[in-house]
Amino acid sequence: MQSCKGKFCFEEGNYLMQTSLIVIVVIAAVIAVAIAAWYLRKSLLFSKGTYGKQTVKSILKRYALSRNYKVLENVTLNYEGKTQTIDFVLVGFFGLLFVSALQGKGDFYGDLKEPRWSFVDDEKKVRFDNPVLEMDLFRRLMAQKKVYNLKVDSAVVIVGTKSDVPMYLSHMREENIVMTVKEFKRFLEKEKFEKDNNVDVEEISKLLDGLN
């Protein structure tokens, strides 16, 4: 085996060091570009009002894929002059999970007794209908459509510009269905969503599609 000596050894070592530094700089630049692209995409989706739904959709799709569940989008029920649309319905062997995604900036305020809730930041206040009451209406409409004997759960996922959205909730029920993205991911880990209640996923999905 040959060994380097003198000036040649020094130059070889210097070359390797320079090469390593170039590789590190390139990798850092690629990572920086990727992070910048992610933040730009997030900003664009947020400005369009679609970031919240896209975030929740991605979580549900990944969850459903490994379990042979179905994710339905924008399920609408019309009955006796009442119309209600839910963002997502997760259909699994356990039953149904109704999911509503709400996106906004700033702090989130909600009172179960009030018909309107809001996002508040330094710029403005954005108000919207009470999502929990909307969930209740959807469940009643399901019953009126004679969809019985299914275990049904609900979740309202709050998506903000911050990873943990400050939420101020009042008069909520014992089982609070309003949660952040992190809490929603933990919510899906509950054992009840893995339980097999002999639900025919394909048939129930077709039934829900036909209720519009």
Side-chain angles (χ1 to χ4, degrees):
M1 180 181 295
Q2 295 181 346
S3 61
C4 61
K5 294 182 180 180
K7 181 179 178 182
F8 176 75
C9 185
F10 173 78
E11 290 178 348
E12 183 181 22
N14 191 41
Y15 172 77
L16 291 174
M17 183 179 296
Q18 289 178 347
T19 302
S20 299
L21 286 174
I22 291 172
V23 171
I24 292 172
V25 170
V26 170
I27 292 174
V30 170
I31 293 174
V33 169
I35 292 174
W38 183 83
Y39 274 106
L40 178 60
R41 181 176 181 275
K42 177 180 177 180
S43 178
L44 289 173
L45 290 174
F46 213 96
S47 65
K48 292 179 180 179
T50 58
Y51 179 73
K53 287 186 178 181
Q54 287 290 343
T55 299
V56 174
K57 178 181 177 180
S58 297
I59 295 170
L60 287 172
K61 286 288 188 180
R62 287 195 300 269
Y63 184 84
L65 182 63
S66 62
R67 295 167 174 80
N68 291 320
Y69 291 177
K70 291 280 189 180
V71 178
L72 307 180
E73 297 181 56
N74 299 319
V75 179
T76 301
L77 295 183
N78 300 289
Y79 189 80
E80 294 182 351
K82 296 179 180 178
T83 300
Q84 184 66 27
T85 300
I86 200 74
D87 292 329
F88 304 101
V89 178
L90 178 66
V91 185
F93 304 126
F94 67 92
L96 302 176
L97 173 61
F98 300 150
V99 183
S100 176
L102 291 176
Q103 169 189 309
K105 295 181 179 180
D107 298 347
F108 182 81
Y109 293 86
D111 188 325
L112 187 60
K113 297 181 179 180
E114 297 295 329
R116 303 278 284 173
W117 289 14
S118 60
F119 270 106
V120 181
D121 64 6
D122 295 335
E123 299 175 3
K124 61 182 178 179
K125 175 187 289 188
V126 178
R127 298 180 65 83
F128 45 86
D129 291 337
N130 182 331
V132 178
L133 297 182
E134 288 187 332
M135 285 287 194
D136 290 345
L137 175 59
F138 196 82
R139 294 176 72 140
R140 290 198 300 272
L141 290 174
M142 286 282 290
Q144 290 173 345
K145 290 285 188 176
K146 303 187 184 304
V147 181
Y148 301 122
N149 302 321
L150 286 175
K151 175 65 177 174
V152 178
D153 284 278
S154 303
V156 177
V157 186
I158 309 303
V159 185
T161 52
K162 304 174 184 177
S163 57
D164 288 313
V165 182
M167 294 198 297
Y168 303 93
L169 305 173
S170 304
H171 304 109
M172 301 306 291
R173 296 165 185 161
E174 183 176 351
E175 185 178 6
N176 180 24
I177 66 170
V178 183
M179 59 195 78
T180 63
V181 172
K182 287 183 179 179
E183 290 169 339
F184 180 57
K185 290 178 180 178
R186 291 197 296 268
F187 179 69
L188 288 174
E189 294 173 358
K190 289 189 175 183
E191 186 179 348
K192 62 181 177 181
F193 296 122
E194 302 288 352
K195 187 176 181 181
D196 189 348
N197 290 322
N198 297 316
V199 174
D200 189 322
V201 173
E202 293 294 334
E203 285 299 317
I204 295 300
S205 298
K206 291 178 182 177
L207 176 63
L208 290 174
D209 281 336
L211 289 179
N212 296 344

